[in-house]
Amino acid sequence: MKKTILAGVMALAMAPMASQAETGAGCGLGSMLLEGQQGLVFNVLAATVNGTSGNQTFGMTSGTLGCDGEGTVTFAAAGEYLDANMEQVARGMATGEGEAMDTLASLMGVSAADKAAFVQVSKANFSVIFSKENVTSADVMSSLTQAMAADQSLSKYIS
């Protein structure tokens, strides 16, 4: 409970900074804390904090932490989200539920009407999508888009 309150206070304190452009690490607490720093090390640190603190979904839905929930949806954004939230997505895909799957579907442009199919196809293909322990986000995106392309209701999202 204390962590939730602390996260909420930090998010509100950072709300005025929400209109800033995203960094290479994406939006989130890590990007806000390391704002202005340049280079691979700082981007990796920011991405790690963003991913381990699990605040990007909150940032996107609340419009805080440098996240823009109204921005253009692209597969690149989904890839960035996946980079920072691989464990949450894997867990959601394995169980067929969760906020991480909802966010990934939204970032991939999947409509609300097709989200159930997206989750079902992802869960059914989990062993192919996460085929090895050290799978990369690029591997996951590739396997996920192949699974979507093979599904009649989801193939329209793959161009």
Side-chain angles (χ1 to χ4, degrees), residues 30-68:
S31 298
M32 302 305 288
L33 293 174
L34 296 170
E35 178 184 0
Q37 302 296 322
Q38 294 181 341
L40 178 63
V41 171
F42 291 109
N43 276 301
V44 169
L45 285 172
T48 301
V49 171
N50 290 343
T52 56
S53 61
N55 56 58
Q56 284 184 316
T57 303
F58 170 76
M60 282 187 258
T61 56
S62 66
T64 59
L65 301 173
C67 301
D68 180 8

Side-chain angles (χ1 to χ4, degrees), residues 33-119:
L33 293 174
L34 296 170
E35 178 184 0
Q37 302 296 322
Q38 294 181 341
L40 178 63
V41 171
F42 291 109
N43 276 301
V44 169
L45 285 172
T48 301
V49 171
N50 290 343
T52 56
S53 61
N55 56 58
Q56 284 184 316
T57 303
F58 170 76
M60 282 187 258
T61 56
S62 66
T64 59
L65 301 173
C67 301
D68 180 8
E70 302 299 320
T72 303
V73 176
T74 65
F75 273 23
E80 288 178 19
Y81 176 76
L82 190 56
D83 276 340
N85 298 284
M86 185 78 93
E87 284 188 40
Q88 293 92 335
V89 170
R91 199 172 314 124
M93 199 174 287
T95 60
E97 60 186 22
E99 190 174 342
M101 288 300 294
D102 289 341
T103 302
L104 182 61
S106 295
L107 290 172
M108 294 182 77
V110 176
S111 71
D114 290 329
K115 279 190 180 178
F118 175 79
V119 171

